[in-house]
Amino acid sequence: MWGRLASAACGAALAGLMIGAPRLAAAAGFEIREQSAVGQGASFAGAAARGDDPSFLFFNPASMAWLEGIQSASVASAIFPSAQARNGSASRAAVLGNTPITGSLGGDPLVDAFVPSFHGTLPIAPDWRFGLSVSAPFGLVTKYPVDFIGRYRAYTSSLKTVDIAPALSWRPMPSLALGAALLIQYADARLSNAVDFGSIGALAGLGRLGFAPGAFDGRTTLSGDSWAVGWQIGAQWEVRPGTMLGFAYRSPIFHDLRGDVRFDAVPPPLNRSPAFADGGARAKFTSPDSITLGVTQLLTERWRLLLGAEWTNWSRFHELVTRFDNGRPASITEERWQPNWFLSIGTEYRVTEAVTLRTGFAWDKTPVPQVTRDPRIADSNRYWLSVGATWQVLQRLALSIGYTHIFADDARVR
């Protein structure tokens, strides 16, 4: 939710930035796809059609139908994103004389992250499996310094989600598996930006008290959280020995975030205005629905081809509306994100009975149009290159590792 939840700055702050953003392990928008070490090594190609590891429960609840006995997968993902503004400038609105906004380009605003997940399955009848997945499907953190030229648009942006997903799968016939999951999702958001109280005071006729553009910078912070429920369904069909097709649909999840808005460093006499009083706030936020398709094809006894496609309906993130409890007008931020495609191809080779190697490539189209791209998330098209391996240490213990380097196009932010 990288739109502006609350903005109390008076007048438009205009900034132009060219940001180069090479990133390690992160999906378009604010999706976190890193939920499987096995899938990571092949850029998640064919993830919806795989049933050889419990972690694929995240991508398709039907996947656990092929697993024998009680199985579990614990996944730890480290994400090291980076971005750097190449050049930029900013100025205030014409009513404020188009005065320049001085400061830095913000350095690297992206924050390293550790993302754990757990997936477990067990048989409850000959053709039935129960599973539980705990994951973080969406999230990101960006932090800019206090002198950032786009500070009136963004300081800190934080979104964290946790999914608790109990699931069932059923095999009505040996070649077909069906599955469904309940998605119980917790979302927590925190957004802050600077407020140009100097400009606000100048427009209010307080110039005699020293109010001028940039003279008194304060801060506004909005935070809130919510629990909401969604669902997921999936199917896998073994068309013939060695060929598996997979389909999964994940529903949107509608959140009503409730929390508070806080103002800091409000100079007198503006600190007596109810417009800058702390209070309650709420905002609507919808995580997107998605359709995932996958194909796995055994080429030889040791080689397997993996194909994947995911369509994510980011148009759910059309605008961000924040309403305040003290009667202040609602804050409306246009986002107008668009649906995007994630297309992947990969392969894996079984070197020995105990060692499997894999690699993959993916194209991840950004959902963010240039006209509404915001410093909170300066997203752009991404290209994934992945490698990975699995070592079957014991009959009941396997270790997997995956690495992805993501190359991102430059993004222009206005």
Side-chain angles (χ1 to χ4, degrees), residues 37-42 348-349 351 354-359 386-392 398-403:
V38 177
Q40 183 83 50
E348 61 180 23
Y349 179 69
V351 181
V355 177
T356 300
L357 304 178
R358 55 184 64 92
T359 186
S386 305
V387 294
T390 294
W391 175 31
Q392 191 73 41
L399 299 178
S400 297
I401 186 170
Y403 173 87

Side-chain angles (χ1 to χ4, degrees), residues 40-84:
Q40 183 83 50
S43 294
F44 301 99
R50 300 189 62 167
D52 53 329
D53 189 83
S55 61
F56 291 111
L57 174 60
F58 173 85
F59 302 95
N60 191 339
S63 65
M64 60 181 168
W66 316 98
L67 299 176
E68 297 295 333
I70 299 174
Q71 298 199 28
S72 66
S74 297
V75 183
S77 299
I79 301 177
F80 307 106
S82 65
Q84 196 73 30

Side-chain angles (χ1 to χ4, degrees), residues 272-343:
R272 295 192 293 272
S273 170
F276 307 114
D278 297 348
R282 57 192 297 180
K284 302 287 186 181
F285 163 66
T286 303
S287 64
D289 49 327
S290 62
I291 296 173
T292 307
L293 304 174
V295 179
T296 66
Q297 175 64 56
L298 199 63
L299 302 177
T300 70
E301 290 185 356
R302 295 182 180 273
W303 280 103
R304 181 156 57 162
L305 176 67
L306 311 168
L307 300 171
E310 180 180 312
W311 176 85
T312 304
N313 188 16
W314 284 109
S315 62
R316 299 277 185 184
F317 197 44
H318 182 70
E319 64 180 14
L320 199 55
V321 180
T322 306
R323 304 188 185 281
F324 304 97
D325 293 348
N326 64 359
R328 285 198 299 268
S331 171
I332 301 176
T333 303
E334 293 288 334
E335 299 293 346
R336 290 184 282 170
W337 284 23
Q338 301 164 352
N340 85 308
W341 281 97
F342 177 85
L343 304 177

Side-chain angles (χ1 to χ4, degrees), residues 161-196:
T161 63
V162 176
D163 269 18
I164 302 171
L168 285 172
S169 72
W170 175 46
R171 282 180 70 179
M173 59 183 68
S175 62
L176 179 65
L178 306 175
L182 180 68
L183 306 177
I184 304 168
Q185 187 174 96
Y186 172 75
D188 178 89
R190 182 176 181 271
L191 303 175
S192 67
N193 57 266
V195 182
D196 190 352

Side-chain angles (χ1 to χ4, degrees), residues 1 3 19 36 78 91 107 132 158 163 170 192 199 213 224 310 380 397 399:
M1 94 182 256
I19 296 177
S36 168
S91 61
L132 179 67
S158 171
D163 269 18
W170 175 46
S192 67
S199 292
E310 180 180 312
S380 61
L397 176 64
L399 299 178

